[in-house]
Coordinates of all heavy atoms in Angstrom, one line a residue:
N13 N 40.5 -37.6 99.7 CA 40.1 -37.0 101.0 C 39.9 -38.1 102.0 O 39.8 -39.3 101.7 CB 38.9 -36.1 100.7 CG 37.6 -36.9 100.3 OD1 37.3 -37.9 100.8 ND2 37.0 -36.4 99.2
I14 N 39.7 -37.7 103.3 CA 39.6 -38.6 104.4 C 38.4 -39.5 104.2 O 38.4 -40.7 104.5 CB 39.5 -37.8 105.7 CG1 40.8 -37.2 106.1 CG2 39.0 -38.7 106.8 CD1 40.8 -36.4 107.3
L15 N 37.2 -38.9 103.8 CA 36.0 -39.7 103.7 C 36.2 -40.9 102.7 O 35.9 -42.0 102.9 CB 34.9 -38.8 103.2 CG 33.5 -39.5 103.1 CD1 33.0 -40.0 104.4 CD2 32.5 -38.6 102.4
E16 N 36.7 -40.5 101.5 CA 36.9 -41.6 100.5 C 37.9 -42.6 100.9 O 37.8 -43.8 100.7 CB 37.4 -40.9 99.2 CG 36.3 -40.1 98.5 CD 36.8 -39.3 97.3 OE1 38.1 -39.0 97.3 OE2 36.0 -38.9 96.4
A17 N 39.0 -42.1 101.5 CA 40.0 -43.1 102.0 C 39.4 -44.1 103.0 O 39.7 -45.3 103.0 CB 41.2 -42.3 102.6
A18 N 38.6 -43.5 103.9 CA 38.0 -44.4 104.9 C 37.1 -45.4 104.3 O 37.1 -46.6 104.6 CB 37.2 -43.6 105.9
H19 N 36.2 -44.9 103.3 CA 35.3 -45.9 102.6 C 36.1 -46.9 101.8 O 35.7 -48.1 101.9 CB 34.4 -45.1 101.7 CG 33.3 -44.3 102.4 ND1 32.5 -43.5 101.8 CD2 32.9 -44.3 103.7 CE1 31.6 -43.0 102.6 NE2 31.9 -43.5 103.8
E20 N 37.1 -46.5 101.1 CA 37.8 -47.4 100.2 C 38.5 -48.5 101.0 O 38.7 -49.6 100.5 CB 38.8 -46.7 99.3 CG 38.1 -45.9 98.2 CD 39.1 -45.0 97.5 OE1 40.3 -45.0 97.8 OE2 38.6 -44.2 96.7
N21 N 38.9 -48.1 102.2 CA 39.8 -49.1 103.0 C 39.0 -49.7 104.2 O 39.6 -50.3 105.0 CB 41.0 -48.3 103.5 CG 41.9 -48.0 102.3 OD1 42.6 -48.8 101.7 ND2 41.9 -46.7 102.0
D22 N 37.7 -49.4 104.2 CA 36.9 -50.0 105.2 C 37.5 -49.7 106.6 O 37.6 -50.6 107.5 CB 36.7 -51.5 105.0 CG 35.5 -52.0 105.8 OD1 34.6 -51.2 106.1 OD2 35.5 -53.2 106.1
I23 N 37.9 -48.5 106.8 CA 38.6 -48.1 108.0 C 37.6 -47.6 109.0 O 36.7 -46.8 108.8 CB 39.6 -47.0 107.7 CG1 40.8 -47.5 106.9 CG2 40.1 -46.4 109.1 CD1 41.7 -46.4 106.4
E24 N 37.7 -48.2 110.2 CA 36.9 -47.7 111.3 C 37.6 -46.4 111.9 O 38.7 -46.4 112.4 CB 36.9 -48.8 112.4 CG 36.0 -48.4 113.6 CD 35.8 -49.6 114.5 OE1 35.6 -50.7 114.1 OE2 35.9 -49.3 115.8
L25 N 36.9 -45.3 111.6 CA 37.6 -44.0 111.9 C 37.8 -43.7 113.3 O 38.8 -43.2 113.7 CB 36.7 -42.9 111.3 CG 36.5 -42.9 109.8 CD1 35.6 -41.8 109.3 CD2 37.9 -42.9 109.1
E26 N 36.9 -44.1 114.1 CA 36.9 -43.7 115.5 C 38.2 -44.4 116.2 O 38.3 -45.6 116.1 CB 35.7 -44.1 116.3 CG 35.6 -43.6 117.7 CD 34.3 -43.8 118.3 OE1 33.4 -44.4 117.7 OE2 34.0 -43.3 119.4
G27 N 39.0 -43.6 116.8 CA 40.1 -44.1 117.5 C 41.3 -44.5 116.7 O 42.3 -45.0 117.2
T28 N 41.3 -44.2 115.4 CA 42.5 -44.5 114.6 C 43.7 -43.7 115.1 O 43.5 -42.5 115.4 CB 42.3 -44.3 113.1 OG1 41.8 -43.0 112.9 CG2 41.2 -45.3 112.6
P29 N 44.9 -44.2 115.1 CA 46.0 -43.5 115.8 C 46.5 -42.3 115.0 O 47.1 -41.4 115.5 CB 47.1 -44.6 115.9 CG 46.7 -45.6 114.9 CD 45.2 -45.6 114.8
F30 N 46.4 -42.3 113.6 CA 47.0 -41.3 112.9 C 46.1 -40.0 112.8 O 46.5 -38.9 113.1 CB 47.3 -41.8 111.4 CG 48.0 -40.7 110.6 CD1 49.3 -40.3 110.9 CD2 47.3 -40.1 109.6 CE1 49.9 -39.3 110.2 CE2 47.9 -39.1 108.8 CZ 49.2 -38.7 109.1
F31 N 44.8 -40.2 112.4 CA 44.0 -39.0 112.2 C 43.3 -38.5 113.5 O 43.1 -37.3 113.6 CB 42.9 -39.3 111.1 CG 43.5 -39.4 109.8 CD1 43.4 -40.6 109.1 CD2 44.1 -38.4 109.2 CE1 43.9 -40.8 107.8 CE2 44.7 -38.5 107.9 CZ 44.6 -39.7 107.2
H32 N 43.0 -39.4 114.4 CA 42.4 -39.0 115.6 C 41.1 -38.2 115.4 O 41.0 -37.0 115.8 CB 43.4 -38.2 116.5 CG 44.6 -38.9 116.8 ND1 44.6 -40.0 117.7 CD2 45.9 -38.8 116.4 CE1 45.9 -40.4 117.8 NE2 46.6 -39.7 117.0
F33 N 40.2 -38.7 114.7 CA 39.0 -38.0 114.5 C 37.8 -39.0 114.7 O 38.0 -40.2 114.7 CB 38.8 -37.3 113.2 CG 39.1 -38.2 112.0 CD1 38.2 -39.3 111.7 CD2 40.2 -38.0 111.2 CE1 38.5 -40.1 110.6 CE2 40.4 -38.8 110.1 CZ 39.6 -39.8 109.8
I34 N 36.7 -38.5 115.0 CA 35.5 -39.3 115.1 C 34.4 -38.7 114.3 O 34.3 -37.6 114.0 CB 35.0 -39.4 116.6 CG1 34.7 -38.0 117.1 CG2 36.0 -40.1 117.5 CD1 34.0 -38.0 118.5
L35 N 33.5 -39.6 113.8 CA 32.3 -39.1 113.1 C 31.3 -38.7 114.0 O 31.2 -39.1 115.2 CB 31.7 -40.3 112.2 CG 32.6 -40.7 111.1 CD1 32.0 -41.9 110.4 CD2 32.7 -39.6 110.0
S36 N 30.4 -37.8 113.6 CA 29.4 -37.3 114.5 C 28.4 -38.4 114.7 O 28.3 -39.3 114.0 CB 28.7 -36.0 113.9 OG 28.2 -36.3 112.6
F37 N 27.6 -38.2 115.7 CA 26.6 -39.2 116.2 C 25.8 -39.8 115.1 O 25.2 -39.0 114.3 CB 25.7 -38.6 117.3 CG 24.7 -39.5 117.8 CD1 25.0 -40.5 118.7 CD2 23.4 -39.4 117.3 CE1 24.0 -41.4 119.1 CE2 22.4 -40.2 117.8 CZ 22.7 -41.2 118.7
G38 N 25.6 -41.1 115.0 CA 24.7 -41.7 114.1 C 25.4 -42.1 112.8 O 25.1 -43.1 112.2
L39 N 26.3 -41.3 112.3 CA 26.9 -41.5 111.0 C 27.7 -42.8 110.9 O 27.8 -43.5 110.0 CB 27.7 -40.3 110.5 CG 26.9 -39.0 110.5 CD1 27.9 -37.9 110.1 CD2 25.8 -39.1 109.6
F40 N 28.4 -43.0 112.0 CA 29.3 -44.1 112.1 C 28.5 -45.4 112.0 O 29.1 -46.4 111.5 CB 30.1 -44.1 113.4 CG 31.2 -45.0 113.4 CD1 32.4 -44.8 112.7 CD2 31.1 -46.2 114.1 CE1 33.4 -45.6 112.8 CE2 32.2 -47.1 114.1 CZ 33.3 -46.8 113.5
L41 N 27.3 -45.4 112.4 CA 26.5 -46.6 112.4 C 25.7 -46.8 111.1 O 25.0 -47.8 110.9 CB 25.5 -46.6 113.6 CG 26.1 -46.4 114.9 CD1 25.1 -46.3 116.0 CD2 27.0 -47.6 115.2
S42 N 25.8 -45.9 110.2 CA 25.0 -46.0 109.0 C 25.9 -45.9 107.7 O 27.1 -45.7 107.8 CB 23.9 -44.9 109.0 OG 24.5 -43.7 108.7
N43 N 25.2 -45.9 106.6 CA 25.9 -45.7 105.3 C 25.7 -44.3 104.8 O 25.9 -44.0 103.6 CB 25.5 -46.7 104.3 CG 25.9 -48.1 104.6 OD1 27.0 -48.3 105.1 ND2 25.1 -49.1 104.4
Y44 N 25.2 -43.4 105.6 CA 24.8 -42.1 105.2 C 26.0 -41.1 105.1 O 25.9 -40.1 104.6 CB 23.7 -41.5 106.1 CG 22.4 -42.1 105.8 CD1 21.9 -43.2 106.6 CD2 21.6 -41.7 104.7 CE1 20.7 -43.7 106.3 CE2 20.4 -42.3 104.4 CZ 20.0 -43.3 105.2 OH 18.8 -43.9 105.0
S45 N 27.1 -41.5 105.7 CA 28.2 -40.5 105.6 C 28.7 -40.4 104.2 O 28.9 -41.4 103.5 CB 29.4 -41.0 106.5 OG 29.9 -42.2 106.1
G46 N 28.7 -39.2 103.7 CA 29.0 -38.9 102.3 C 27.7 -39.0 101.5 O 27.8 -39.3 100.3
A47 N 26.6 -38.6 102.0 CA 25.3 -38.7 101.3 C 25.3 -37.9 100.0 O 24.7 -38.3 99.0 CB 24.2 -38.3 102.2
C48 N 26.0 -36.8 99.9 CA 25.9 -35.9 98.7 C 27.1 -36.2 97.8 O 27.3 -35.5 96.8 CB 25.9 -34.5 99.1 SG 27.5 -33.7 99.6
E49 N 27.9 -37.2 98.1 CA 29.0 -37.6 97.3 C 30.0 -36.5 97.1 O 30.5 -36.2 96.0 CB 28.6 -38.2 96.0 CG 27.7 -39.5 96.1 CD 27.3 -40.1 94.8 OE1 27.4 -39.4 93.8 OE2 26.8 -41.2 94.9
C50 N 30.3 -35.8 98.2 CA 31.4 -34.8 98.3 C 31.0 -33.5 97.5 O 31.9 -32.8 97.1 CB 32.7 -35.3 97.8 SG 33.2 -36.8 98.7
S51 N 29.7 -33.2 97.3 CA 29.4 -32.0 96.5 C 29.0 -30.8 97.4 O 28.5 -29.9 97.0 CB 28.2 -32.3 95.6 OG 27.1 -32.7 96.3
L52 N 29.4 -30.9 98.7 CA 29.1 -29.8 99.7 C 27.7 -29.5 99.8 O 27.3 -28.3 99.9 CB 30.0 -28.6 99.3 CG 31.4 -28.6 99.8 CD1 32.1 -27.4 99.3 CD2 31.4 -28.6 101.3
A53 N 26.8 -30.5 99.7 CA 25.4 -30.3 99.9 C 24.8 -31.0 101.1 O 23.6 -31.1 101.2 CB 24.7 -30.8 98.6
C54 N 25.7 -31.5 102.0 CA 25.2 -32.1 103.2 C 26.3 -31.9 104.3 O 27.3 -31.3 104.0 CB 24.9 -33.6 103.0 SG 26.4 -34.6 102.9
S55 N 26.0 -32.4 105.5 CA 27.1 -32.4 106.5 C 27.2 -33.8 107.1 O 27.7 -34.0 108.2 CB 26.7 -31.4 107.6 OG 25.5 -31.7 108.2
T56 N 26.8 -34.8 106.3 CA 26.9 -36.2 106.9 C 28.3 -36.7 107.0 O 28.5 -37.8 107.5 CB 26.0 -37.1 106.0 OG1 26.6 -37.2 104.7 CG2 24.6 -36.7 106.0
C57 N 29.3 -36.0 106.4 CA 30.7 -36.5 106.5 C 31.4 -35.7 107.6 O 32.6 -35.7 107.6 CB 31.4 -36.3 105.1 SG 31.4 -34.6 104.6
H58 N 30.7 -35.1 108.5 CA 31.3 -34.3 109.6 C 32.2 -35.2 110.4 O 31.9 -36.3 110.8 CB 30.1 -33.8 110.5 CG 30.6 -33.1 111.7 ND1 29.9 -33.2 112.9 CD2 31.7 -32.4 112.0 CE1 30.5 -32.5 113.8 NE2 31.6 -32.0 113.3
V59 N 33.4 -34.7 110.5 CA 34.4 -35.3 111.4 C 34.9 -34.3 112.4 O 34.9 -33.1 112.1 CB 35.6 -35.9 110.6 CG1 35.2 -37.0 109.7 CG2 36.3 -34.8 109.8
I60 N 35.4 -34.8 113.5 CA 36.0 -33.9 114.5 C 37.5 -34.3 114.6 O 37.8 -35.5 114.9 CB 35.3 -34.0 115.9 CG1 33.8 -33.6 115.7 CG2 36.0 -33.2 116.9 CD1 33.0 -34.0 117.0
V61 N 38.3 -33.4 114.3 CA 39.8 -33.7 114.3 C 40.2 -33.5 115.8 O 40.2 -32.4 116.3 CB 40.5 -32.8 113.4 CG1 42.0 -33.1 113.4 CG2 40.0 -32.8 112.0
M62 N 40.6 -34.6 116.4 CA 41.0 -34.6 117.8 C 42.4 -34.1 118.0 O 42.7 -33.6 119.1 CB 40.8 -36.0 118.4 CG 39.4 -36.6 118.2 SD 38.1 -35.6 118.9 CE 38.4 -35.9 120.6
D63 N 43.3 -34.2 117.0 CA 44.6 -33.8 117.2 C 44.8 -32.4 116.6 O 44.7 -32.1 115.4 CB 45.5 -34.8 116.4 CG 47.0 -34.5 116.5 OD1 47.4 -33.3 116.8 OD2 47.8 -35.4 116.3
T64 N 44.9 -31.4 117.5 CA 44.9 -30.0 117.1 C 46.1 -29.7 116.3 O 46.1 -28.8 115.4 CB 44.8 -29.0 118.3 OG1 45.8 -29.4 119.2 CG2 43.5 -29.1 119.0
E65 N 47.2 -30.4 116.5 CA 48.4 -30.1 115.7 C 48.1 -30.5 114.3 O 48.5 -29.8 113.3 CB 49.6 -30.9 116.3 CG 50.9 -30.6 115.7 CD 52.1 -31.4 116.4 OE1 52.0 -31.5 117.6 OE2 53.0 -31.8 115.6
Y66 N 47.5 -31.6 114.1 CA 47.1 -32.1 112.7 C 46.1 -31.1 112.2 O 46.2 -30.7 111.0 CB 46.6 -33.5 112.8 CG 46.1 -34.0 111.4 CD1 46.9 -34.3 110.4 CD2 44.7 -34.1 111.2 CE1 46.5 -34.7 109.2 CE2 44.2 -34.5 110.0 CZ 45.1 -34.8 109.0 OH 44.6 -35.2 107.8
Y67 N 45.1 -30.7 113.0 CA 44.1 -29.8 112.5 C 44.7 -28.5 111.9 O 44.3 -28.0 110.9 CB 43.1 -29.5 113.6 CG 42.0 -28.5 113.2 CD1 40.9 -28.9 112.6 CD2 42.2 -27.1 113.5 CE1 39.9 -28.0 112.2 CE2 41.2 -26.2 113.1 CZ 40.1 -26.7 112.4 OH 39.1 -25.8 112.0
N68 N 45.7 -28.0 112.7 CA 46.3 -26.7 112.3 C 47.1 -26.8 111.0 O 47.4 -25.8 110.4 CB 47.2 -26.2 113.4 CG 46.3 -25.8 114.6 OD1 45.2 -25.3 114.4 ND2 46.9 -25.9 115.8
K69 N 47.4 -28.0 110.6 CA 48.2 -28.2 109.3 C 47.2 -28.3 108.1 O 47.7 -28.2 107.0 CB 49.0 -29.5 109.4 CG 50.1 -29.5 110.4 CD 50.9 -30.8 110.4 CE 52.0 -30.8 111.4 NZ 52.7 -32.1 111.6
L70 N 45.9 -28.4 108.4 CA 45.0 -28.5 107.3 C 44.8 -27.1 106.6 O 44.9 -26.1 107.3 CB 43.6 -29.0 107.8 CG 43.7 -30.4 108.4 CD1 42.3 -30.7 109.0 CD2 44.1 -31.5 107.4
E71 N 44.4 -27.2 105.4 CA 44.0 -25.9 104.7 C 42.7 -25.4 105.4 O 41.9 -26.2 105.9 CB 43.8 -26.2 103.2 CG 45.0 -26.4 102.4 CD 44.8 -26.4 100.9 OE1 43.8 -25.7 100.5 OE2 45.6 -27.0 100.2
E72 N 42.6 -24.1 105.3 CA 41.4 -23.5 105.9 C 40.1 -24.0 105.2 O 40.1 -24.1 104.0 CB 41.4 -22.0 105.8 CG 42.5 -21.3 106.6 CD 42.2 -21.3 108.1 OE1 41.0 -21.0 108.4 OE2 43.1 -21.6 108.9
P73 N 39.0 -24.2 105.9 CA 37.8 -24.5 105.2 C 37.3 -23.3 104.4 O 37.5 -22.2 104.7 CB 36.8 -24.8 106.4 CG 37.4 -24.2 107.6 CD 38.9 -24.1 107.4
T74 N 36.6 -23.7 103.3 CA 36.1 -22.6 102.4 C 34.8 -22.1 103.1 O 34.2 -22.7 104.0 CB 35.7 -23.2 101.0 OG1 34.7 -24.2 101.2 CG2 37.0 -23.8 100.4
D75 N 34.3 -21.0 102.5 CA 33.0 -20.5 103.0 C 31.9 -21.5 102.8 O 31.0 -21.7 103.7 CB 32.6 -19.2 102.3 CG 33.5 -18.0 102.7 OD1 34.2 -18.1 103.7 OD2 33.5 -17.1 101.9
E76 N 31.9 -22.3 101.7 CA 30.9 -23.3 101.4 C 31.0 -24.4 102.5 O 29.9 -24.9 102.9 CB 31.1 -23.8 100.0 CG 30.8 -22.9 98.9 CD 31.9 -21.9 98.6 OE1 33.0 -22.1 99.2 OE2 31.7 -21.0 97.8
E77 N 32.2 -24.8 102.8 CA 32.3 -25.9 103.8 C 31.8 -25.3 105.2 O 31.1 -26.1 105.9 CB 33.8 -26.3 104.0 CG 33.9 -27.4 105.0 CD 35.3 -27.9 105.2 OE1 36.2 -27.6 104.4 OE2 35.6 -28.7 106.1
N78 N 32.2 -24.1 105.5 CA 31.7 -23.6 106.8 C 30.2 -23.5 106.8 O 29.6 -23.7 107.9 CB 32.3 -22.2 107.0 CG 33.7 -22.3 107.6 OD1 34.0 -23.2 108.3 ND2 34.6 -21.3 107.2
D79 N 29.6 -23.1 105.7 CA 28.1 -23.1 105.7 C 27.5 -24.4 106.0 O 26.5 -24.5 106.7 CB 27.6 -22.6 104.3 CG 27.9 -21.1 104.1 OD1 28.2 -20.4 105.1 OD2 27.8 -20.6 102.9
M80 N 28.1 -25.5 105.4 CA 27.5 -26.8 105.7 C 27.9 -27.3 107.1 O 27.1 -27.9 107.7 CB 28.1 -27.8 104.6 CG 27.4 -27.8 103.3 SD 25.7 -28.3 103.5 CE 24.9 -26.9 102.7
L81 N 29.0 -26.9 107.6 CA 29.4 -27.3 108.9 C 28.4 -26.7 109.9 O 28.2 -27.3 111.0 CB 30.8 -26.8 109.3 CG 32.0 -27.7 108.8 CD1 33.3 -27.0 108.9 CD2 32.0 -29.0 109.5
D82 N 27.9 -25.5 109.6 CA 27.0 -24.9 110.6 C 25.7 -25.8 110.8 O 25.0 -25.6 111.8 CB 26.5 -23.5 110.0 CG 27.6 -22.5 110.2 OD1 28.5 -22.7 111.0 OD2 27.5 -21.4 109.5
L83 N 25.5 -26.7 109.8 CA 24.3 -27.6 109.9 C 24.6 -28.9 110.6 O 23.8 -29.7 110.9 CB 23.8 -27.8 108.5 CG 23.4 -26.6 107.7 CD1 22.9 -27.1 106.3 CD2 22.3 -25.8 108.4
A84 N 25.9 -29.1 110.9 CA 26.3 -30.4 111.5 C 26.0 -30.5 113.0 O 26.0 -29.5 113.7 CB 27.8 -30.5 111.3
F85 N 25.7 -31.7 113.4 CA 25.4 -32.0 114.8 C 26.7 -31.9 115.6 O 27.7 -32.4 115.2 CB 24.8 -33.4 114.9 CG 24.6 -33.9 116.3 CD1 23.5 -33.4 117.0 CD2 25.4 -34.8 116.9 CE1 23.3 -33.8 118.3 CE2 25.2 -35.2 118.2 CZ 24.1 -34.7 118.9
A86 N 26.6 -31.4 116.8 CA 27.7 -31.3 117.7 C 29.0 -30.7 117.1 O 30.1 -31.2 117.2 CB 28.0 -32.7 118.3
L87 N 28.8 -29.6 116.5 CA 29.9 -28.9 115.9 C 30.9 -28.5 116.9 O 30.6 -28.0 118.0 CB 29.4 -27.6 115.2 CG 30.3 -26.8 114.3 CD1 30.7 -27.7 113.1 CD2 29.7 -25.5 113.9
T88 N 32.2 -28.6 116.6 CA 33.3 -28.2 117.5 C 34.3 -27.3 116.8 O 34.1 -27.0 115.6 CB 34.1 -29.4 118.0 OG1 34.9 -29.9 117.0 CG2 33.2 -30.6 118.5
E89 N 35.2 -26.8 117.6 CA 36.2 -25.9 117.0 C 37.1 -26.6 116.0 O 37.7 -25.9 115.1 CB 37.1 -25.3 118.1 CG 36.4 -24.3 119.1 CD 36.0 -23.0 118.4 OE1 36.9 -22.5 117.6 OE2 34.9 -22.5 118.7
T90 N 37.2 -27.9 116.1 CA 38.0 -28.6 115.1 C 37.2 -29.5 114.2 O 37.7 -30.5 113.7 CB 39.1 -29.4 115.9 OG1 38.4 -30.4 116.7 CG2 40.0 -28.5 116.6
S91 N 36.0 -29.1 114.0 CA 35.1 -29.9 113.0 C 35.5 -29.6 111.6 O 35.8 -28.5 111.3 CB 33.6 -29.5 113.2 OG 33.1 -30.1 114.4
R92 N 35.4 -30.6 110.8 CA 35.6 -30.4 109.3 C 34.6 -31.4 108.6 O 34.1 -32.3 109.2 CB 37.0 -30.7 108.9 CG 38.1 -29.8 109.4 CD 37.9 -28.4 108.9 NE 38.0 -28.3 107.4 CZ 39.1 -28.1 106.7 NH1 40.2 -27.9 107.3 NH2 39.0 -28.0 105.4
L93 N 34.5 -31.1 107.3 CA 33.8 -32.1 106.5 C 34.8 -33.0 105.9 O 35.7 -32.6 105.3 CB 33.0 -31.4 105.4 CG 31.8 -30.5 105.8 CD1 31.1 -29.9 104.6 CD2 30.8 -31.3 106.7
G94 N 34.6 -34.3 106.2 CA 35.6 -35.3 105.8 C 35.9 -35.3 104.3 O 37.0 -35.7 103.9
C95 N 34.9 -35.0 103.5 CA 35.1 -35.0 102.1 C 35.9 -33.9 101.6 O 36.3 -33.8 100.4 CB 33.8 -35.1 101.4 SG 32.8 -33.5 101.4
Q96 N 36.2 -32.9 102.4 CA 36.9 -31.7 102.0 C 38.3 -31.7 102.6 O 39.1 -30.8 102.2 CB 36.2 -30.4 102.5 CG 34.8 -30.3 101.9 CD 34.7 -30.3 100.4 OE1 35.4 -29.5 99.8 NE2 34.0 -31.3 99.8
V97 N 38.7 -32.6 103.4 CA 40.0 -32.7 104.0 C 40.9 -33.7 103.2 O 40.5 -34.8 103.1 CB 39.9 -33.1 105.5 CG1 41.3 -33.3 106.1 CG2 39.1 -32.1 106.3
I98 N 41.9 -33.2 102.7 CA 42.8 -34.0 101.9 C 44.0 -34.5 102.7 O 44.6 -33.8 103.5 CB 43.4 -33.2 100.7 CG1 42.2 -32.8 99.8 CG2 44.3 -34.1 99.9 CD1 42.6 -31.9 98.7
Ligands
LIG104 FE1 28.2 -34.2 101.6 FE2 30.8 -34.2 102.4 S1 29.6 -35.8 101.7 S2 29.4 -32.5 102.2

């Protein structure tokens, strides 16, 4: 998933040319993104997919992901949980 790929490759997510997403406020500056280790128990891996064409190619979020997204800061129409996007 996007979150693991970013962590493993020490990728600075903001402004990357392929995915075009940003982390929600504060998470980018800390090690808290992915606090629940992808178990859908937090929203610290919130990402905003800036490329709507790419967003539309993603699988629909599950009800569990949507429930957690509702708790995310600055939720947008193209918000996803980074740990759920493959
Ligand atoms: Fe907690 Fe993604 S890391 S839901």
Side-chain angles (χ1 to χ4, degrees):
N13 63 48
I14 287 176
L15 179 67
E16 290 171 336
H19 283 174
E20 287 172 6
N21 294 287
D22 198 25
I23 292 173
E24 185 172 316
L25 298 179
E26 188 169 9
T28 53
F30 181 70
F31 290 116
H32 301 287
F33 52 66
I34 58 173
L35 289 173
S36 58
F37 177 76
L39 303 177
F40 192 77
L41 301 175
S42 74
N43 291 324
Y44 285 99
S45 60
C48 78
E49 298 181 348
C50 308
S51 62
L52 276 174
C54 73
S55 58
T56 61
C57 61
H58 174 210
V59 296
I60 300 170
V61 182
M62 303 303 287
D63 184 336
T64 53
E65 188 173 324
Y66 176 72
Y67 179 84
N68 291 330
K69 291 179 181 174
L70 301 174
E71 288 189 27
E72 292 287 318
T74 62
D75 290 342
E76 292 81 7
E77 181 179 351
N78 279 326
D79 287 346
M80 279 298 123
L81 277 170
D82 286 341
L83 304 175
F85 175 79
L87 189 67
T88 75
E89 291 291 321
T90 60
S91 287
R92 293 296 303 266
L93 294 181
C95 72
Q96 302 301 305
V97 176
I98 300 173

